[in-house]
Amino acid sequence: MESIIEELYYGNITPAERSFRRTGEYAHILQLVTRNEEKLTETLTEAQKETFEKFKDGTSEISSMTEVTAFTLGFKLGLRLTAEAFIGGNDEQELISE
């Protein structure tokens, strides 16, 4: 068995990949968004559809950037917590004497 670091290196772990239940809340919201997008698109002219597609692309790009930032910050926080647990940020004796 390979280490988790090796699994990540070889691409066997994809942090951004997610699965969801087709009956869950996420699936329900996704259905609503899709249905409303279809209804809206039916009412738009070709020029408006093009503008709307550009808007969706921009929104998707911002969302991706936000996810990367959140992942990075969460990962760093996890590492800091782990380091403090092993190395110690505050000596236990200091905590007990307070």
Side-chain angles (χ1 to χ4, degrees):
M1 182 170 159
E2 295 180 8
S3 74
I4 193 161
I5 296 171
E6 289 171 334
E7 292 286 326
L8 185 61
Y9 174 79
Y10 289 115
N12 297 330
I13 298 173
T14 309
E17 189 174 280
R18 295 189 188 105
S19 61
F20 61 92
R21 294 180 317 191
R22 297 201 181 273
T23 58
E25 184 180 5
Y26 184 88
H28 174 70
I29 299 297
L30 184 59
Q31 276 183 327
L32 288 175
V33 168
T34 303
R35 190 175 331 134
N36 287 322
E37 180 182 341
E38 288 170 357
K39 285 181 181 180
L40 175 62
T41 304
E42 290 172 1
T43 66
L44 300 177
T45 65
E46 288 305 313
Q48 290 170 329
K49 287 178 184 178
E50 186 177 321
T51 301
F52 184 55
E53 285 299 317
K54 289 177 183 177
F55 169 79
K56 289 190 321 181
D57 290 344
T59 302
S60 179
E61 183 84 19
I62 288 173
S63 180
S64 294
M65 292 169 66
T66 302
E67 285 184 25
V68 168
T69 301
F71 176 81
T72 303
L73 293 173
F75 192 84
K76 287 179 180 181
L77 177 60
L79 286 175
R80 287 185 190 134
L81 291 169
T82 302
E84 186 172 315
F86 284 105
I87 298 169
N90 290 332
D91 199 313
E92 289 179 19
Q93 290 300 326
E94 290 177 20
L95 294 174
I96 294 172
S97 64
E98 291 180 353

